[in-house]
Amino acid sequence: MEERDRVHSVPVPERFLPLVHKALAEAYAAEAVEETGVEAAPQSDLANRSGVKELAMDEWTGVWTKAQVVSAYRGASLKLRAALEYLAKRSEDKVTALELAHAVYPNESNDKAEKRLYGVLRHFTTWQQKYGHRHWFVKAEGSPSGFTYKMFDREAEWIKEASEHE
């Protein structure tokens, strides 16, 4: 095994896992560009080609198709589905990690619920990589006081529709 392929276990507080996953996804994308010489199209190019109006980056989570969002929902665990459905019901609102954690794990303490939530939400990064996106279809913002999550109306409608057919 090459030195660069070794896997290391590094303790990371769970609240930072989304940031670590994002950094790893970007590193893997950069490595793929080095190996193939082909860079993924910038999200703004994808938006223009798909006919989606380009929004400010802080308002935009990427161009996910309905099929991708529905596929991600259908492949999700029951707990992740609960989180997605909760965010879909509150589309366009910022939901704190603690509020979302208690929606998914109502009988857990604040710390335990939030830690378990971050473990569930890590699957967003798997979908992001699977479909070649740079962002989740749920906006996540970190701050010293914790994370907030926001699902936009378009994706919320797709999640609601998919949950009704399950």
Side-chain angles (χ1 to χ4, degrees):
M1 178 185 308
E2 287 185 40
E3 179 68 30
R4 66 184 236 135
D5 291 330
R6 285 195 184 163
V7 176
H8 299 274
S9 295
V10 179
V12 175
E14 288 194 48
R15 69 181 184 274
F16 294 121
L17 284 177
L19 297 172
V20 170
H21 287 288
K22 180 180 178 187
L24 288 172
E26 289 171 358
Y28 286 127
E31 190 174 86
V33 169
E34 284 178 16
E35 291 175 3
T36 63
V38 177
E39 187 169 352
Q43 290 290 350
S44 58
D45 290 351
L46 293 173
N48 292 336
R49 277 190 261 143
S50 67
V52 175
K53 180 177 91 176
E54 186 173 352
L55 302 173
M57 195 60 184
D58 64 341
E59 297 178 0
W60 188 54
T61 58
V63 181
W64 284 76
T65 67
K66 181 178 181 179
Q68 291 170 339
V69 171
V70 169
S71 173
Y73 173 82
R74 289 188 176 144
S77 68
L78 293 177
K79 294 295 184 182
L80 184 50
R81 284 183 179 196
L84 292 171
E85 290 167 8
Y86 188 86
L87 290 170
K89 288 177 187 170
R90 287 151 187 81
S91 65
E92 299 295 332
D93 293 337
K94 288 185 177 182
V95 176
T96 66
L98 188 57
E99 178 186 348
L100 185 57
H102 279 297
V104 177
Y105 297 101
N107 299 322
E108 301 286 351
S109 68
N110 288 352
D111 287 343
K112 191 170 185 179
E114 201 166 351
K115 285 178 182 178
R116 292 182 76 185
L117 175 70
Y118 291 135
V120 167
L121 294 180
R122 69 180 163 75
H123 294 287
F124 277 129
T125 303
T126 303
W127 299 332
Q128 172 189 332
Q129 292 170 347
K130 177 180 178 181
Y131 295 117
H133 292 291
R134 293 184 184 186
H135 303 280
W136 296 354
F137 62 87
V138 171
K139 181 180 178 187
E141 287 184 328
S143 72
S145 62
F147 277 91
T148 59
Y149 301 93
K150 178 179 175 179
M151 184 180 290
F152 295 95
D153 286 337
R154 181 179 75 147
E155 288 82 0
E157 288 305 315
W158 296 340
I159 293 294
K160 290 174 189 174
E161 186 179 313
S163 69
E164 291 171 1
H165 292 27
E166 291 295 308

Coordinates of all heavy atoms in Angstrom, one line a residue, residues 2-60:
E2 N 0.6 2.2 -0.9 CA 1.3 3.4 -1.0 C 1.1 4.2 0.3 O 0.0 4.1 0.9 CB 0.9 4.2 -2.2 CG 1.4 3.7 -3.5 CD 1.0 4.6 -4.6 OE1 1.1 5.9 -4.4 OE2 0.6 4.1 -5.7
E3 N 2.1 5.1 0.6 CA 1.9 5.9 1.8 C 0.7 6.8 1.7 O 0.0 7.0 2.7 CB 3.2 6.8 1.9 CG 3.1 7.8 3.0 CD 3.2 7.2 4.4 OE1 3.8 6.1 4.5 OE2 2.7 7.7 5.3
R4 N 0.4 7.3 0.5 CA -0.8 8.2 0.4 C -2.1 7.5 0.5 O -3.1 8.1 0.6 CB -0.7 9.0 -0.9 CG -0.8 8.1 -2.2 CD -0.6 8.9 -3.4 NE -1.8 8.7 -4.3 CZ -2.4 9.7 -4.9 NH1 -2.0 10.9 -4.8 NH2 -3.5 9.4 -5.7
D5 N -2.1 6.2 0.4 CA -3.4 5.4 0.5 C -3.7 4.9 1.9 O -4.7 4.3 2.1 CB -3.4 4.3 -0.5 CG -3.4 4.7 -1.9 OD1 -4.0 5.8 -2.2 OD2 -2.9 4.0 -2.8
R6 N -2.8 5.2 2.8 CA -3.0 4.7 4.2 C -4.2 5.5 4.8 O -4.4 6.6 4.6 CB -1.8 4.9 5.0 CG -0.7 3.9 4.8 CD 0.3 4.0 5.8 NE 1.4 3.0 5.5 CZ 2.6 3.0 6.0 NH1 2.9 3.9 6.9 NH2 3.5 2.2 5.6
V7 N -5.0 4.8 5.6 CA -6.1 5.3 6.2 C -5.7 5.5 7.7 O -5.2 4.6 8.3 CB -7.4 4.4 6.1 CG1 -8.5 5.0 6.9 CG2 -7.7 4.2 4.6
H8 N -6.1 6.7 8.2 CA -5.7 7.0 9.6 C -7.0 7.3 10.4 O -8.0 7.9 9.8 CB -4.8 8.3 9.7 CG -3.5 8.1 9.0 ND1 -2.4 7.5 9.6 CD2 -3.1 8.3 7.7 CE1 -1.4 7.4 8.7 NE2 -1.8 7.9 7.6
S9 N -7.0 6.9 11.6 CA -8.1 7.3 12.5 C -7.7 8.5 13.3 O -6.7 8.5 14.0 CB -8.4 6.1 13.5 OG -8.8 5.0 12.8
V10 N -8.4 9.6 13.1 CA -8.2 10.8 13.8 C -9.4 11.2 14.5 O -10.5 11.3 13.9 CB -7.8 11.9 12.7 CG1 -7.5 13.2 13.4 CG2 -6.6 11.5 11.9
P11 N -9.3 11.5 15.8 CA -10.5 11.9 16.6 C -11.0 13.3 16.1 O -10.2 14.2 16.0 CB -10.1 11.9 18.0 CG -8.6 12.0 18.0 CD -8.1 11.4 16.7
V12 N -12.3 13.3 15.8 CA -12.9 14.6 15.3 C -14.2 14.7 16.1 O -15.0 13.8 16.0 CB -13.2 14.5 13.8 CG1 -13.9 15.8 13.3 CG2 -11.9 14.4 13.0
P13 N -14.4 15.8 16.7 CA -15.7 16.0 17.3 C -16.9 15.9 16.3 O -16.7 16.4 15.2 CB -15.7 17.5 17.9 CG -14.2 17.8 18.0 CD -13.6 17.0 16.9
E14 N -17.9 15.2 16.7 CA -19.0 15.0 15.7 C -19.6 16.2 15.1 O -20.0 16.2 13.9 CB -20.1 14.1 16.3 CG -19.6 12.7 16.5 CD -20.7 11.7 16.8 OE1 -21.7 11.8 16.1 OE2 -20.6 11.0 17.8
R15 N -19.6 17.3 15.8 CA -20.2 18.5 15.3 C -19.4 19.0 14.1 O -19.8 19.8 13.3 CB -20.3 19.6 16.3 CG -19.0 20.2 16.8 CD -19.3 21.2 17.9 NE -18.0 21.8 18.3 CZ -17.3 21.4 19.3 NH1 -17.6 20.3 19.9 NH2 -16.2 22.0 19.6
F16 N -18.1 18.6 13.9 CA -17.3 19.0 12.8 C -17.3 18.0 11.6 O -16.7 18.2 10.6 CB -15.8 19.2 13.2 CG -15.7 20.4 14.2 CD1 -15.2 20.2 15.4 CD2 -16.1 21.7 13.8 CE1 -15.0 21.2 16.3 CE2 -16.0 22.7 14.7 CZ -15.5 22.5 16.0
L17 N -18.0 16.9 11.8 CA -18.0 15.9 10.7 C -18.5 16.4 9.4 O -17.9 16.1 8.4 CB -18.8 14.7 11.2 CG -18.1 13.7 12.1 CD1 -19.1 12.6 12.5 CD2 -16.8 13.2 11.6
P18 N -19.6 17.2 9.3 CA -20.0 17.8 8.0 C -18.8 18.5 7.3 O -18.6 18.4 6.1 CB -21.2 18.6 8.3 CG -21.7 18.1 9.6 CD -20.5 17.6 10.4
L19 N -18.1 19.3 8.1 CA -17.0 20.1 7.5 C -15.9 19.1 7.1 O -15.3 19.3 6.0 CB -16.4 21.0 8.6 CG -17.3 22.1 9.1 CD1 -16.7 22.9 10.2 CD2 -17.7 23.0 7.9
V20 N -15.6 18.1 7.8 CA -14.5 17.1 7.4 C -15.0 16.4 6.2 O -14.2 16.2 5.2 CB -14.3 16.1 8.6 CG1 -13.4 15.0 8.1 CG2 -13.6 16.9 9.8
H21 N -16.2 16.0 6.1 CA -16.7 15.3 4.9 C -16.6 16.2 3.7 O -16.3 15.8 2.6 CB -18.2 14.8 5.1 CG -18.3 13.7 6.0 ND1 -17.9 12.4 5.7 CD2 -18.8 13.6 7.3 CE1 -18.2 11.6 6.7 NE2 -18.7 12.3 7.7
K22 N -17.0 17.5 3.9 CA -16.9 18.4 2.7 C -15.4 18.6 2.3 O -15.1 18.5 1.1 CB -17.4 19.8 3.1 CG -17.4 20.8 2.0 CD -17.9 22.1 2.5 CE -17.8 23.1 1.3 NZ -18.2 24.5 1.7
A23 N -14.5 18.7 3.2 CA -13.1 18.8 2.9 C -12.6 17.6 2.1 O -11.8 17.7 1.2 CB -12.2 19.1 4.1
L24 N -13.0 16.4 2.6 CA -12.6 15.2 2.0 C -13.2 15.0 0.6 O -12.5 14.6 -0.4 CB -13.0 13.9 2.8 CG -12.2 13.7 4.1 CD1 -12.8 12.6 4.9 CD2 -10.8 13.4 3.8
A25 N -14.4 15.4 0.4 CA -15.0 15.4 -0.9 C -14.3 16.3 -1.9 O -14.0 15.9 -3.0 CB -16.5 15.8 -0.8
E26 N -13.9 17.5 -1.4 CA -13.2 18.4 -2.3 C -11.8 17.8 -2.6 O -11.3 18.0 -3.8 CB -13.0 19.8 -1.6 CG -14.4 20.5 -1.6 CD -14.3 21.8 -0.7 OE1 -13.3 22.1 -0.1 OE2 -15.4 22.5 -0.7
A27 N -11.2 17.2 -1.7 CA -9.8 16.6 -1.9 C -9.9 15.5 -2.9 O -9.1 15.4 -3.8 CB -9.2 16.1 -0.6
Y28 N -10.9 14.6 -2.8 CA -11.1 13.5 -3.7 C -11.4 14.1 -5.1 O -10.9 13.5 -6.1 CB -12.2 12.6 -3.3 CG -11.8 11.7 -2.1 CD1 -12.6 11.6 -1.0 CD2 -10.6 10.9 -2.2 CE1 -12.2 10.8 0.1 CE2 -10.3 10.1 -1.1 CZ -11.0 10.0 0.0 OH -10.7 9.2 1.0
A29 N -12.2 15.1 -5.2 CA -12.5 15.7 -6.5 C -11.2 16.3 -7.1 O -11.0 16.1 -8.3 CB -13.6 16.8 -6.3
A30 N -10.4 16.9 -6.3 CA -9.2 17.5 -6.9 C -8.2 16.4 -7.3 O -7.6 16.5 -8.4 CB -8.5 18.3 -5.8
E31 N -8.2 15.3 -6.6 CA -7.4 14.1 -7.0 C -7.9 13.5 -8.3 O -7.1 13.1 -9.1 CB -7.4 13.1 -5.8 CG -6.4 12.0 -6.0 CD -6.4 11.1 -4.8 OE1 -7.2 10.1 -4.8 OE2 -5.6 11.3 -3.9
A32 N -9.2 13.4 -8.4 CA -9.8 12.9 -9.7 C -9.4 13.8 -10.9 O -9.1 13.2 -12.0 CB -11.3 12.8 -9.6
V33 N -9.4 15.1 -10.7 CA -8.9 16.0 -11.7 C -7.5 15.7 -12.1 O -7.1 15.7 -13.3 CB -9.1 17.5 -11.3 CG1 -8.5 18.4 -12.3 CG2 -10.6 17.8 -11.2
E34 N -6.6 15.5 -11.1 CA -5.2 15.2 -11.4 C -5.1 14.0 -12.2 O -4.3 13.9 -13.1 CB -4.5 15.1 -10.1 CG -4.1 16.4 -9.4 CD -3.4 16.2 -8.1 OE1 -2.9 15.1 -7.8 OE2 -3.4 17.1 -7.2
E35 N -5.8 12.9 -11.8 CA -5.7 11.6 -12.4 C -6.3 11.6 -13.8 O -5.7 11.0 -14.7 CB -6.4 10.5 -11.6 CG -5.6 10.3 -10.3 CD -6.3 9.3 -9.4 OE1 -7.4 8.8 -9.8 OE2 -5.9 9.1 -8.3
T36 N -7.4 12.3 -14.0 CA -8.1 12.2 -15.3 C -7.8 13.4 -16.2 O -8.0 13.3 -17.4 CB -9.6 12.1 -15.1 OG1 -10.1 13.3 -14.5 CG2 -10.0 10.9 -14.3
G37 N -7.5 14.5 -15.6 CA -7.3 15.8 -16.3 C -8.6 16.4 -16.7 O -8.7 17.4 -17.4
V38 N -9.7 15.8 -16.2 CA -11.0 16.4 -16.5 C -11.6 17.0 -15.3 O -11.8 16.3 -14.3 CB -12.0 15.3 -17.0 CG1 -13.4 15.8 -17.3 CG2 -11.4 14.6 -18.3
E39 N -12.0 18.3 -15.3 CA -12.5 18.9 -14.2 C -14.1 19.0 -14.3 O -14.6 19.1 -15.4 CB -12.0 20.4 -14.1 CG -12.5 21.0 -12.8 CD -11.7 22.4 -12.6 OE1 -10.8 22.7 -13.3 OE2 -12.1 23.1 -11.7
A40 N -14.7 18.7 -13.2 CA -16.2 18.8 -13.3 C -16.6 20.2 -13.6 O -15.9 21.2 -13.3 CB -16.8 18.4 -11.9
A41 N -17.7 20.3 -14.3 CA -18.2 21.7 -14.7 C -18.6 22.4 -13.5 O -19.2 21.9 -12.5 CB -19.4 21.5 -15.6
P42 N -18.3 23.7 -13.4 CA -18.7 24.5 -12.3 C -20.2 24.5 -12.1 O -20.9 24.4 -13.1 CB -18.2 25.9 -12.6 CG -17.2 25.8 -13.7 CD -17.5 24.5 -14.4
Q43 N -20.6 24.6 -10.9 CA -22.1 24.6 -10.6 C -22.8 25.6 -11.4 O -23.9 25.4 -11.9 CB -22.4 24.7 -9.1 CG -21.9 23.5 -8.3 CD -22.8 22.3 -8.6 OE1 -23.8 22.3 -9.2 NE2 -22.3 21.2 -8.1
S44 N -22.2 26.8 -11.6 CA -22.9 27.8 -12.4 C -23.2 27.4 -13.8 O -24.2 27.7 -14.4 CB -22.2 29.2 -12.3 OG -20.9 29.0 -12.8
D45 N -22.2 26.7 -14.4 CA -22.4 26.2 -15.8 C -23.5 25.2 -15.8 O -24.3 25.2 -16.7 CB -21.1 25.5 -16.3 CG -20.0 26.5 -16.5 OD1 -20.2 27.7 -16.5 OD2 -18.8 26.1 -16.8
L46 N -23.5 24.3 -14.8 CA -24.6 23.3 -14.8 C -26.0 24.0 -14.6 O -27.0 23.6 -15.2 CB -24.4 22.4 -13.6 CG -23.2 21.5 -13.7 CD1 -23.0 20.7 -12.4 CD2 -23.4 20.5 -14.9
A47 N -26.0 25.1 -13.8 CA -27.3 25.8 -13.6 C -27.7 26.4 -14.9 O -28.9 26.4 -15.3 CB -27.1 26.9 -12.5
N48 N -26.8 27.1 -15.6 CA -27.1 27.7 -16.9 C -27.6 26.7 -17.9 O -28.5 27.0 -18.7 CB -26.0 28.5 -17.4 CG -25.6 29.7 -16.5 OD1 -26.5 30.2 -15.8 ND2 -24.4 30.2 -16.5
R49 N -26.9 25.5 -18.0 CA -27.3 24.5 -19.0 C -28.7 23.9 -18.7 O -29.4 23.5 -19.6 CB -26.3 23.5 -19.1 CG -25.1 23.9 -20.0 CD -24.2 22.7 -20.2 NE -23.1 22.8 -19.3 CZ -22.5 21.9 -18.7 NH1 -22.9 20.6 -18.9 NH2 -21.5 22.1 -17.9
S50 N -29.0 23.8 -17.4 CA -30.3 23.2 -17.0 C -31.4 24.1 -17.0 O -32.6 23.7 -16.8 CB -30.1 22.6 -15.6 OG -30.0 23.6 -14.7
G51 N -31.2 25.4 -17.3 CA -32.3 26.4 -17.3 C -32.7 26.9 -15.9 O -33.6 27.6 -15.8
V52 N -31.9 26.5 -14.9 CA -32.2 27.0 -13.6 C -31.5 28.3 -13.4 O -30.4 28.5 -13.7 CB -31.7 26.0 -12.5 CG1 -31.8 26.5 -11.1 CG2 -32.4 24.7 -12.7
K53 N -32.3 29.3 -12.9 CA -31.8 30.6 -12.6 C -30.6 30.5 -11.6 O -30.8 29.9 -10.6 CB -32.9 31.5 -12.1 CG -32.5 32.9 -11.8 CD -33.6 33.8 -11.4 CE -33.7 33.7 -9.9 NZ -34.7 34.5 -9.3
E54 N -29.5 31.1 -11.9 CA -28.4 31.1 -11.0 C -28.7 32.0 -9.8 O -29.1 33.2 -10.0 CB -27.1 31.6 -11.7 CG -25.9 31.4 -10.8 CD -24.6 31.7 -11.5 OE1 -24.6 31.8 -12.8 OE2 -23.6 31.7 -10.9
L55 N -28.5 31.5 -8.6 CA -28.7 32.3 -7.4 C -27.4 32.6 -6.7 O -26.3 32.0 -7.1 CB -29.6 31.5 -6.4 CG -30.9 31.0 -6.9 CD1 -31.6 30.1 -5.9 CD2 -31.8 32.3 -7.2
A56 N -27.4 33.5 -5.8 CA -26.2 33.8 -5.0 C -25.8 32.5 -4.3 O -26.6 31.7 -3.9 CB -26.5 34.8 -3.9
M57 N -24.4 32.3 -4.2 CA -23.9 31.0 -3.7 C -24.5 30.7 -2.3 O -24.7 29.6 -2.0 CB -22.4 31.0 -3.7 CG -21.8 29.7 -3.5 SD -22.3 28.6 -4.8 CE -21.6 27.1 -4.3
D58 N -24.7 31.7 -1.5 CA -25.2 31.5 -0.1 C -26.7 31.1 -0.1 O -27.2 30.6 0.9 CB -25.0 32.6 0.8 CG -25.7 33.9 0.4 OD1 -26.2 34.0 -0.8 OD2 -25.9 34.8 1.3
E59 N -27.3 31.2 -1.3 CA -28.7 30.8 -1.4 C -28.9 29.5 -2.2 O -30.0 29.0 -2.4 CB -29.6 31.9 -2.0 CG -29.6 33.1 -1.2 CD -30.4 34.2 -2.0 OE1 -30.9 33.9 -3.1 OE2 -30.5 35.3 -1.4
W60 N -27.8 29.0 -2.7 CA -27.9 27.9 -3.7 C -27.2 26.7 -3.3 O -26.0 26.7 -2.8 CB -27.2 28.5 -5.0 CG -27.4 27.6 -6.2 CD1 -28.5 27.1 -6.7 CD2 -26.3 27.1 -7.0 NE1 -28.3 26.4 -7.8 CE2 -26.9 26.4 -8.0 CE3 -24.9 27.3 -7.0 CZ2 -26.2 25.8 -9.0 CZ3 -24.2 26.7 -8.0 CH2 -24.8 25.9 -9.0

